Amino acid sequence: MAGGAPRKWKSVKAMQEAIDAYFESCKGTPLMIDGDVATDKYGRPIILDEKPPTITGLALSLGFTGRQALIDYQGRPEFADTVTRAKSRCEEYAESRLYDKDGANGAKFSLGCNFGWREVNETKISTDSVKVVIDV
């Protein structure tokens, strides 16, 4: 008899539906005033309850206790593609924030911790051959 806790997800399809619902919930909802979408001074819709998609948020929405449990599920062959694709959606969001001065530091942290990104500084030292001429 096998030990351990029962599997949280038995169906890839059911998990994918829950993942899709999580990403949909991250979008928030537009503020409506008198039946019209309210906009800011730049004409962009005002969105309520919008939140960034994160690995931990995804894990919690799927009923896991934390991000590591989701990562562990990624090791199950039948769920590997589904979880990898969902994590890639979180990674894509963080990557896009690198171009936004307000979100760049948080994005760097998330990409480093969750996706193994590292900042690499390269220093190249070159020496040109120098011809020395001595007149005697």
Side-chain angles (χ1 to χ4, degrees):
M1 182 171 172
R7 294 175 67 172
K8 188 159 294 292
W9 293 96
K10 294 177 178 68
S11 158
V12 173
K13 182 180 179 196
M15 180 187 242
Q16 184 62 58
E17 289 172 359
I19 288 169
D20 292 342
Y22 168 72
F23 285 109
E24 193 61 34
S25 76
C26 289
K27 293 179 182 178
T29 55
L31 174 63
M32 302 296 287
I33 298 177
D34 296 328
D36 294 321
V37 175
T39 58
D40 65 14
K41 66 181 183 179
Y42 302 106
R44 294 180 300 222
I46 297 171
I47 306 296
L48 303 175
D49 300 321
E50 183 178 24
K51 61 185 178 193
T54 64
I55 300 295
T56 303
L58 174 62
L60 293 174
S61 76
L62 293 174
F64 293 112
T65 56
R67 62 186 284 283
Q68 188 58 52
L70 176 64
I71 291 166
D72 293 343
Y73 240 74
Q74 189 176 12
R76 297 175 184 254
E78 67 273 29
F79 291 97
D81 285 347
T82 302
V83 174
T84 300
R85 193 170 29 263
K87 286 177 55 186
S88 292
R89 289 174 73 177
C90 295
E91 182 178 16
E92 186 276 333
Y93 172 81
E95 185 180 353
S96 72
R97 292 301 306 264
L98 291 173
Y99 300 97
D100 170 358
K101 74 175 185 171
D102 294 331
N105 287 334
K108 284 180 187 177
F109 180 79
S110 177
L111 291 166
C113 291
N114 292 312
F115 305 104
W117 286 41
R118 298 289 175 252
E119 190 170 333
V120 177
N121 293 319
E122 289 186 31
T123 304
K124 284 190 173 183
I125 300 173
S126 66
T127 57
D128 294 333
S129 45
V130 177
K131 186 174 182 182
V132 177
V133 178
I134 302 174
D135 286 327
V136 185

